[in-house]
Amino acid sequence: MADPELSFPTSIGTSDASTIRLLGQDLAADLMGKVGFGELAFWLVAQRRPSPSQVRLFEAVLVALADHGFTPTAIAARMTYLSAPEALQGALAAGLLGGGSRFLGVTEDSGRFLADALAEAGEPPADDAGFDALALAAVTRARAERRLVPGLGHPVHKEQDPRTPVLIRIADEEGLHGPHLRLFEAIGRVHPQVLGRTLPLNGAGVCGAALADLGLPVDLLRGFALLARAAGLLGHLAEERRNGLGMEIYRTVDRNARYVPPTPA
């Protein structure tokens, strides 16, 4: 029996003995079998049901971020599973905890960098020339402050990240090519003038721009990257169960460890 003097408001979900309510809907009757997981994830965060076009772009972002091979996050998950195979949740969490400024976190960092530049401009530029000028100012300022421009460069894809043009094309097709994506593309055009070299626009960066154009909170963009990567990590752990590589990774490092005298700090 609920205490009438206590109230904990939520717009997410509640339940009683016979029903579960989620986002104002009957979970069993209105959502199960009728709403995809990507659509539900968007709806839970944005508190608005996305259009089919928004769902397509959003789910393309999730697919783009699901896996990138033997990244440190995947290796961390596999090594944790090697140490504690009885705790799948620990291995999955270990992989997610590695989502930071070098892997996965770039999605949020890029979205914030673009959002800050657009906020400073006031109104979004009217044409490509305006976006180029805004991009040039943002990259120049970052260089002067000795900050990296998030979304530029990739440790594997030196010429082009294959995810970037596809996400831009999908945004175009769905009428969702907004100011964050346009500014991100402008950064790709102008950054060589400042940095003196040409770097590719990476997939994590374009994902951040696309998510920001979908109107999702910039401070939560890393969460979407982690949501996507959880699926990839679960795949790695399933593979580790079938054909474990963790022991070989451990043995390779252990057998090649070389002692060196400590260097005083």
Side-chain angles (χ1 to χ4, degrees):
M1 189 73 178
D3 186 333
E5 295 184 2
L6 293 176
S7 177
F8 299 96
T10 177
S11 298
I12 305 299
T14 58
S15 63
D16 57 30
S18 59
T19 61
I20 302 172
R21 304 288 298 179
L22 183 63
L23 296 164
Q25 313 292 312
D26 185 305
L27 176 68
D30 302 329
L31 300 179
M32 293 174 62
K34 300 175 183 178
V35 173
F37 181 70
E39 180 178 358
L40 182 64
F42 186 111
W43 195 351
L44 281 165
V45 175
Q47 293 286 285
R48 54 184 169 86
R49 189 168 188 173
S51 68
S53 291
Q54 291 172 327
V55 171
R56 184 183 178 217
L57 180 58
F58 179 70
E59 292 190 340
V61 167
L62 296 183
V63 170
L65 294 171
D67 182 67
H68 210 291
F70 281 103
T71 59
T73 57
I75 294 170
R78 285 179 180 252
M79 296 304 292
T80 303
Y81 186 77
L82 172 67
S83 296
E86 73 283 359
L88 181 71
Q89 73 277 14
L92 189 60
L96 294 177
L97 288 171
S101 59
R102 292 185 177 178
F103 292 88
L104 291 177
V106 176
T107 298
E108 180 175 308
D109 296 341
S110 296
R112 179 176 288 107
F113 183 88
L114 299 167
D116 287 347
L118 287 166
E120 200 166 298
E123 290 294 322
D127 53 24
D128 284 349
F131 275 102
D132 284 358
L134 181 58
L136 187 60
V139 175
T140 300
R141 182 167 56 251
R143 179 64 180 269
E145 296 172 354
R146 297 187 177 184
R147 293 186 293 117
L148 294 176
V149 177
L152 280 180
H154 195 279
V156 177
H157 309 300
K158 300 300 184 182
E159 298 297 326
Q160 183 185 65
D161 190 317
R163 299 169 293 182
T164 299
V166 174
L167 283 169
I168 291 172
R169 173 178 56 79
I170 292 172
D172 272 335
E173 291 172 353
E174 300 299 338
L176 295 169
H177 196 154
H180 297 85
L181 276 170
R182 292 190 67 185
L183 179 57
F184 190 60
E185 290 176 285
I187 288 172
R189 293 191 293 267
V190 308
H191 77 269
Q193 301 175 43
V194 181
L195 304 184
R197 57 180 176 148
T198 301
L199 298 169
L201 295 173
N202 63 48
V206 75
C207 285
L211 292 172
D213 275 342
L214 285 170
L216 295 166
V218 172
D219 290 343
L220 294 179
L221 298 190
R222 187 173 302 189
F224 294 114
L226 294 173
L227 174 67
R229 189 53 59 90
L233 291 172
L234 191 57
H236 275 276
L237 294 172
E239 184 174 76
E240 188 66 24
R241 284 171 55 87
R242 295 191 304 269
N243 180 29
L245 295 174
M247 185 61 74
E248 186 60 29
I249 294 170
Y250 157 64
R251 286 174 175 163
T252 299
V253 176
D254 183 63
R255 289 168 183 170
N256 291 281
R258 180 175 59 89
Y259 176 79
V260 294
T263 300

